[in-house]
Amino acid sequence: MRYRDIHPIIEKVRPYCLEAAGRLKRFPQWSLKTLSSLMTSVYILGALALLYMVGTIFPQGGDIGEYAKAGGKYVSFVRFFDLLDFFSSPVFLLSALLLLLNLVVCTYKRYGPLFAKRVFPNTFDPTHTFKLTHDYPEALPEVRRVLHEKLGFRLVSKDNEWIVMEKGLSCRWLTWLYHAGIVLCFFGLILSYLFAFEGEMTLKPRTPLIVAPSTTGRLASLYQKTAGPAGFSLYLDDFSTEYIQHPGLDYPKDKLSRLAIGLGWKGPEYSMKNDPMTPKDWRSRLRVIKGGSTVKEKTIEVNDPLRYGGYTFYQVGYEQTLRIRVDFNPIALETKADGDIIVPGLDTPLRFGTVMTGTLYRLDGAVEKILPFTTVKAVLTGPPGGKKTEDLGKLELGGSIIVDGRRVSLADYEESSVLSYRYDPGVAVLWWGGAFVLIAMCLRFYGRSYMVAYAVDESDRIVCLNLHIVSKGLMADTEKLAGRIGYYLTRDDIRPVPLPPL
Amino acid sequence: MLKSASMSSYDLILSRDSYLLGLELRLYWSVAFLYGLSLLFFISHAITRGDTAGKTGQTTLLVTVTAHIALIVLRTFEAGRAPFQTLYETLSWFACSSSLTYLYVSRRWRSVYLPATLVAGLSLGACLYALLSRSPAVEPLSPPLQSYWFEWHVILAFFSYAVFVVSAAIELTCLIIKPLLSRGAARGYGLTLDAIDGLHTTAYRLVLFGYPLLTFAIFSGAAWANEAWGRYWSWDPKETWSLITWTVFTIYLHSKAIPGLKGLPASLFNILGFVCMMMTFLGVNWLAKLLGIPSLHVYAV
C-alpha cells in the first residue's frame, strides 16, 4: 500500500486523533478542576452515604455459607459485591479513595490562595453610614486609629478608595485547617487499614506469656503470616472482680398498667430476689517483662488499657476453671465456668456457673469480700436444638451438694484474665487529625471574625464614614460591632450621627 | 456465702427507691400530658391561625420544659449519675433538650408558632415511647460505660440532635408555607416571604451550631471505643448511621455554598439529615433487631 492510498484515510482520522490527543492533554487539568469542585464533593459524599447504608443492611463479618443457610437472599449478588465484608470491598474502598483524592485536591488548591492578596469588596456598597463632626483630613486617620487600637482590627489593604481591615482568626485559614485535619484523619485510617492487627490472649496467674501475635497487618500479610514475637512477655500478678448489688424492678409490661402507675393508682416496686449481683469492674495487675526484668507495671481495667511497645492491651473479660470433686475421688474433674461436664455416675450433665468472688458493694453501702460460690444446674434434654436446665442450688468453695446420691464439691478454681491486644500505628495520627478538625471547626463555626471596608467622604462640608461590614461565625454580630465603632468614635470626639441607609 | 443484710435497712432503701420511682413516673406522665396539650394548641393554631392558640401552646411548652428539667434532676438524684444510660433516659433527655432549644431559638419570634408543632409532637412521641415501651429501672453502669468519654459522647450527641430537630422543624415549616405565601394563602401564621428567608438562615445557623457537636460526638465515641474495646471504629450499625448523618449534614453545608443547590435542594438535605439522625437514634435499633445484626450499642436498644 502506498502513502497516497492511505493519505485520504489519515486525513479523515486526523481531526479525531488530534481532538483525542487534545482531550488527553487536557485530562489532568480537567480532573484537577473536577476533583476540586464543591459539586464533586457533594456527589462523592452522596454516593458514600448510600454505600454506608448498604453496609448496615447486611450483617458485616458474616460468612456467605451461613448467610445462605440462614435463608439469605440474592446470594450470588451478595458474594459478587462482597456485601458481608462491604467496608473492605473494592467498591467501598474505591469510593473512599475518591473522597480522599477530592479532599487532597481541594485542600491543595485552596492552599495557594491563603497567601494571595485579598480583594475586598469588589464594589464598595456601604452597610452603615455615620456623619462625623471632625474635619475631613483628621477623620480618616482617627477612624483607622479607633479600629486598630480600640477594636483590634488589623490592616488588610489601603490601595483602593476604601481601606480594608479585619479582626479575628482568618476564616480561610480555619476552613483550610479543618479540611487538612480530615486529610490527616484519612491517613490515620489508611495506616490502621494497612498495618493494624489484633488478637486475644489468656493470662494465667503467675505464668509469664510471651506476646506473639498470630496475625499481622494487611500489608505485611502479603509476605508473612504473623507479626512475630513482640520481644516481651506479660505477667499477671493478680486478677480481681467487683460486683454491685442492685435490686430488680417489678414493673408491668402492658400499657394500661403502666398508665395506672402514672396516675398513682399503683406503684412500681424494687425487690431483692436471689441477692442480684452485677459486675462492677474487673482488674488485672500486669507486669511487662523484657530481658528478665520488669519494665512496666499497671493495673488495667475496662476503659483503662496498658500501652507498651506499640501494643495496647485491653481487659475484655476473664475465664474460670473449676475443679470439681465427686464423692471422695482424689482426682478432680476440670470444667470451664458455664460449660457442661459429664460427671461419672450421673445421668445428666452438670453446668457450673461463674464463680462469684471478689468484692461486693452492697445496696446499703457496705463493702465486703464474697465467699466464693457457684451455681449448679442439671442439663436436661430439651427440645431439639435446645437444652433445659434445672437449678440444683449454690455451691460454696469447699462445700458440697448431693446430686442423685453423689457428693459433688467445689475443690478449687482458677481465674485467668482475658486480654485483647492491638497494634495500630494509625491511632495517634487519627487523634491528631481529629484534634485539628475539632479545634479549627469550633473556632471557624463558633468564633467571630469581621472584615470592614470603609471610606471617609466629604460632600458640602459634611464628613461621612461609610462602612461595609462582613462577618463570619455564629458569635459575630455586625450591628453590635457598628454600635461599638460608633461608641468609640463618639468617645474620641468625632461624633457619629447614624444616617438612614442609602 | 453472702452475709445476710439486715432486712430493715434494705427495706428502707427499697421503699425509698420505689417511692422516688413512682414519683418520677407520675411526673413523667404529667410532662407527657403537657407536651400533648401544647401539641393540641399548636395544631389548633395551625388550623385556626389564631394567635391565642399559638401563644398558649408556647406558654404550655415553657411550663412543660420546666417540669421536664425538674424530672431530669429527680432522675439524676435517684440514679446518682447523669441520666443518659438507657434508652428510657435518653428519650427523656431528647424530648427535653429539643423543646428547650426550640424555646430558646424562638424567643424573639413574634406570632410564629408553626415549627413548634413538630418539636412538641416529637417530644410527646419520645416521652410516650419511653413510658410505654421501656423499663424505668435504675441500672448500675456496666464496666464499659464507666468512662468520661461516654458521658461527653452522649451529652454532645444529644445536644446536636436537639439542634437538628429544631432546624428541621423550621426548614419543614418554610418548605410548606413558602408556596402558600406566594399564593397569598398563608396569612395568620406571622410569616412573610422575608421572614421565611430569615428562618432559612436560622435553620442553617442551627446546623452550623450542631455540626461540630456531632463531629465531636463521633470522635469522642471513637476515643471511648478505643479505650474500652480496643478498636476505634467497628462499622457497628449505630456508628455507621452516625457517619451517614454526619455525611448528609456535610452535604447540606457544602450545598449552601453552591449557587445551584442553596435553595430547595439544600433544604431537602437538611430534612434528610434530620431523618438520618432519627434513624441513628431510634431506627437503627429497630433495623439491628429486624436484621439480627449484633450491635455494640445494645445498652441503647
Side-chain angles (χ1 to χ4, degrees):
Chain A
M1 197 177 268
R2 288 181 191 170
Y3 177 72
R4 68 168 179 227
D5 294 335
I6 60 167
H7 182 70
I9 303 169
I10 291 173
E11 282 303 310
K12 248 185 187 176
V13 173
R14 195 186 158 120
Y16 295 108
C17 290
L18 282 174
E19 198 187 325
R23 275 188 187 179
L24 208 64
K25 210 174 166 185
R26 287 196 300 271
F27 181 74
Q29 214 177 354
W30 174 84
S31 354
L32 266 181
K33 196 180 166 193
T34 310
L35 276 171
S36 66
S37 100
L38 272 181
M39 202 58 165
T40 310
S41 311
V42 167
Y43 282 130
I44 297 174
L45 286 167
L48 266 176
L50 288 174
L51 292 179
Y52 295 146
M53 283 180 204
V54 173
T56 60
I57 294 169
F58 294 90
Q60 295 303 299
D63 178 67
I64 190 79
E66 280 174 21
Y67 174 78
K69 220 186 266 178
K73 288 179 181 173
Y74 317 112
V75 176
S76 50
F77 179 78
V78 170
R79 185 181 285 129
F80 183 77
F81 285 104
D82 213 356
L83 293 179
L84 298 185
D85 192 15
F86 189 62
F87 297 111
S88 301
S89 70
V91 176
F92 181 77
L93 291 178
L94 275 174
S95 313
L97 190 71
L98 209 58
L99 180 67
L100 176 63
L101 266 176
N102 174 239
L103 257 170
V104 170
V105 171
C106 282
T107 313
Y108 172 73
K109 289 267 274 188
R110 281 154 182 78
Y111 180 71
L114 291 175
F115 302 97
K117 192 172 178 183
R118 279 163 288 174
V119 181
F120 174 92
N122 290 326
T123 51
F124 186 61
D125 181 19
T127 51
H128 298 81
T129 302
F130 296 107
K131 184 181 167 192
L132 303 178
T133 53
H134 245 264
D135 292 339
Y136 178 72
E138 289 167 12
L140 198 65
E142 189 58 20
V143 172
R144 188 168 154 189
R145 192 189 67 80
V146 163
L147 284 172
H148 176 63
E149 286 177 15
K150 301 290 180 191
L151 294 166
F153 276 82
R154 53 190 180 272
L155 186 69
V156 175
S157 101
K158 54 175 184 176
D159 303 339
N160 294 323
E161 289 166 25
W162 52 87
I163 294 171
V164 182
M165 297 183 89
E166 68 176 0
K167 184 186 177 182
L169 291 166
S170 163
C171 280
R172 291 193 301 177
W173 267 102
L174 291 174
T175 308
W176 186 86
L177 268 176
Y178 65 73
H179 280 88
I182 297 173
V183 174
L184 199 59
C185 288
F186 254 103
F187 282 112
L189 296 174
I190 291 170
L191 283 178
S192 289
Y193 183 79
L194 293 178
F195 300 105
F197 57 86
E198 57 194 15
E200 255 190 29
M201 56 199 289
T202 304
L203 278 181
K204 289 189 174 179
R206 291 164 292 282
T207 313
L209 189 66
I210 295 169
V211 179
S214 57
T215 55
T216 187
R218 274 190 176 87
L219 194 66
S221 67
L222 296 175
Y223 53 89
Q224 62 183 39
K225 277 189 177 171
T226 67
F232 59 89
S233 14
L234 284 186
Y235 185 89
L236 177 66
D237 269 331
D238 185 39
F239 178 78
S240 62
T241 45
E242 286 177 355
Y243 291 89
I244 189 164
Q245 207 175 24
H246 83 100
L249 179 67
D250 182 18
Y251 191 66
K253 283 205 166 167
D254 74 291
K255 295 172 175 54
L256 279 177
S257 302
R258 288 186 171 202
L259 182 61
I261 286 177
L263 292 170
W265 296 343
K266 281 188 197 173
E269 265 187 42
Y270 281 112
S271 63
M272 296 289 287
K273 285 176 192 159
N274 308 323
D275 272 342
M277 287 154 66
T278 196
K280 185 174 180 283
D281 206 355
W282 43 86
R283 295 190 176 95
S284 295
R285 179 76 193 159
L286 294 180
R287 270 196 281 157
V288 180
I289 297 172
K290 194 175 181 181
S293 57
T294 303
V295 287
K296 192 166 185 176
E297 289 184 72
K298 189 179 179 185
T299 302
I300 66 164
E301 56 191 309
V302 183
N303 280 314
D304 189 12
L306 163 79
R307 291 187 172 87
Y308 185 77
Y311 287 81
T312 310
F313 297 90
Y314 301 90
Q315 180 74 68
V316 289
Y318 55 93
E319 252 181 37
Q320 290 177 333
T321 306
L322 283 67
R323 287 191 194 89
I324 308 297
R325 186 157 287 150
V326 181
D327 293 333
F328 295 100
N329 194 332
I331 301 165
L333 302 171
E334 279 199 355
T335 180
K336 298 273 182 210
D338 297 319
D340 296 351
I341 180 172
I342 295 167
V343 176
L346 290 184
D347 297 335
T348 54
L350 297 183
R351 184 179 295 169
F352 294 86
T354 303
V355 177
M356 305 298 260
T357 180
T359 311
L360 173 68
Y361 292 83
R362 303 191 74 97
L363 190 65
D364 56 5
V367 181
E368 64 181 40
K369 282 276 166 212
I370 303 170
L371 200 60
F373 73 92
T374 182
T375 52
V376 189
K377 286 175 180 172
V379 182
L380 309 170
T381 317
K387 284 175 180 174
K388 267 187 184 174
T389 55
E390 184 193 331
D391 281 339
L392 299 177
K394 275 182 182 177
L395 180 58
E396 292 173 30
L397 179 67
S400 56
I401 53 166
I402 305 293
V403 183
D404 286 346
R406 296 271 174 160
R407 181 184 292 272
V408 177
S409 357
L410 176 62
D412 196 9
Y413 71 93
E414 186 184 69
E415 279 185 311
S416 307
S417 178
V418 181
L419 309 180
S420 74
Y421 60 84
R422 187 169 167 88
Y423 176 85
D424 191 345
V427 174
V429 182
L430 180 72
W431 294 155
W432 274 108
F436 264 114
V437 172
L438 288 169
I439 293 169
M441 194 182 273
C442 288
L443 289 172
R444 164 67 184 84
F445 286 21
Y446 300 147
R448 57 180 159 210
S449 69
Y450 298 100
M451 198 173 260
V452 169
Y454 69 90
V456 176
D457 299 316
E458 188 187 28
S459 161
D460 295 335
R461 294 204 166 191
I462 296 172
V463 181
C464 282
L465 168 66
N466 289 314
L467 277 172
H468 182 112
I469 306 175
V470 174
S471 65
K472 290 269 170 73
L474 291 170
M475 302 289 281
D477 187 340
T478 47
E479 291 310 313
K480 194 175 168 188
L481 177 69
R484 287 188 74 197
I485 292 171
Y487 165 76
Y488 281 115
L489 288 174
T490 314
R491 214 179 63 164
D492 291 348
D493 284 327
I494 303 174
R495 298 177 194 287
V497 181
L499 293 176
L502 292 173
Chain B
M1 195 57 144
L2 297 176
K3 282 181 200 168
S4 59
S6 73
M7 286 312 290
S8 58
S9 73
Y10 269 18
D11 287 347
L12 207 65
I13 294 166
L14 292 176
S15 62
R16 181 202 65 192
D17 288 352
S18 303
Y19 171 74
L20 281 175
L21 186 64
L23 193 69
E24 179 202 317
L25 286 168
R26 284 200 286 277
L27 183 57
Y28 204 165
W29 275 99
S30 313
V31 165
F33 173 76
L34 285 171
Y35 275 126
L37 200 63
S38 62
L39 176 65
L40 282 179
F41 283 123
F42 289 128
I43 290 173
S44 158
H45 163 73
I47 295 167
T48 62
R49 305 179 189 202
D51 205 37
T52 318
K55 257 184 199 163
T56 317
Q58 193 89 349
T59 312
T60 313
L61 194 62
L62 182 66
V63 172
T64 313
V65 170
T66 312
H68 205 153
I69 291 169
L71 172 73
I72 288 171
V73 172
L74 175 64
R75 179 76 182 183
T76 310
F77 170 71
E78 220 182 311
R81 54 167 170 75
F84 311 124
Q85 191 207 341
T86 59
L87 188 55
Y88 169 85
E89 289 170 343
T90 50
L91 280 164
S92 170
W93 178 248
F94 171 75
C96 183
S97 55
S98 301
S99 296
L100 187 65
T101 308
Y102 174 76
L103 287 172
Y104 179 77
V105 170
S106 64
R107 71 196 187 283
R108 284 182 193 157
W109 295 352
R110 295 279 167 269
S111 309
V112 179
Y113 306 108
L114 280 181
T117 316
L118 180 71
V119 179
L122 271 175
S123 299
L124 173 67
C127 288
L128 288 179
Y129 181 35
L131 285 166
L132 296 174
S133 302
R134 315 307 308 173
S135 166
V138 175
E139 301 283 351
L141 282 174
S142 65
L145 301 192
Q146 294 165 22
S147 162
Y148 57 91
W149 281 118
F150 166 66
E151 287 178 9
W152 280 110
H153 170 63
V154 180
I155 291 170
L156 292 173
F158 277 90
F159 263 126
S160 70
Y161 287 3
V163 169
F164 294 146
V165 164
V166 178
S167 178
I170 293 171
E171 200 83 77
L172 210 58
T173 306
C174 293
L175 286 186
I176 295 169
I177 292 297
K178 204 171 181 176
L180 294 175
L181 270 177
S182 322
R183 293 204 301 268
R187 288 194 190 123
Y189 293 126
L191 289 166
T192 58
L193 279 170
D194 284 346
I196 289 283
D197 287 341
L199 284 182
H200 273 304
T201 308
T202 306
Y204 172 63
R205 286 170 67 86
L206 280 167
V207 174
L208 275 185
F209 184 81
Y211 186 76
L213 296 179
L214 182 66
T215 312
F216 194 87
I218 291 174
F219 268 110
S220 57
W224 170 37
N226 191 53
E227 291 294 284
W229 291 285
R231 210 186 244 200
Y232 56 80
W233 196 264
S234 51
W235 294 110
D236 175 276
K238 213 167 185 95
E239 284 174 357
T240 313
W241 271 98
S242 69
L243 192 61
I244 294 170
T245 307
W246 187 85
T247 309
V248 173
F249 279 117
T250 309
I251 294 174
Y252 168 71
L253 292 178
H254 280 81
S255 63
K256 281 299 229 184
I258 302 172
L261 296 180
K262 69 198 298 184
L264 180 68
S267 299
L268 293 176
F269 285 136
N270 189 4
I271 290 163
L272 185 66
F274 161 73
V275 172
C276 290
M277 180 217 88
M278 289 305 288
M279 190 70 193
T280 310
F281 179 32
L282 296 172
V284 78
N285 303 340
W286 163 81
L287 193 74
K289 266 188 190 172
L290 183 77
L291 302 173
I293 300 169
S295 170
L296 282 173
H297 291 78
V298 278
Y299 59 87
V301 176

